[in-house]
């Protein structure tokens, strides 16, 4: 790794995965449960709850 740095190679940073908060909130407003929102959006249950509880920016 040190040798790679000496050649100017830097590790790539992973970008934060962004979620469509508006879609999650809209699906919840339409009466869907968390499990169905998970299936339709591909977002984990934890992140769905975070979005709905406004803990996630």
């Amino acid at each position: 790794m040190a040798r790679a740095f000496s050649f100017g190679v830097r590790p790539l940073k992973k970008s934060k995965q962004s979620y469509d908060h508006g879609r999650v909130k809209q699906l919840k407003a339409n009466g869907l449960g968390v499990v169905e929102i998970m299936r339709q959006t591909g977002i984990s249950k934890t992140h769905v709850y975070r979005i709905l509880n406004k803990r996630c920016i």
Side-chain angles (χ1 to χ4, degrees):
M1 194 63 130
R3 185 170 181 220
F5 286 147
S6 69
F7 289 113
V9 176
R10 298 287 179 233
L12 297 175
K13 289 185 178 180
K14 292 183 180 180
S15 62
K16 280 188 164 182
Q17 188 174 9
S18 62
Y19 301 113
D20 189 358
H21 293 214
R23 183 169 181 224
V24 171
K25 291 177 183 179
Q26 183 64 39
L27 291 172
K28 185 64 176 175
N30 289 341
L32 293 177
V34 173
V35 175
E36 189 58 34
I37 294 171
M38 287 172 42
R39 289 183 183 143
Q40 289 191 16
T41 60
I43 300 173
S44 70
K45 183 171 25 176
T46 302
H47 283 94
V48 171
Y49 278 118
R50 284 181 183 170
I51 291 168
L52 294 175
N53 291 328
K54 299 180 183 176
R55 291 184 183 175
C56 192
I57 297 173

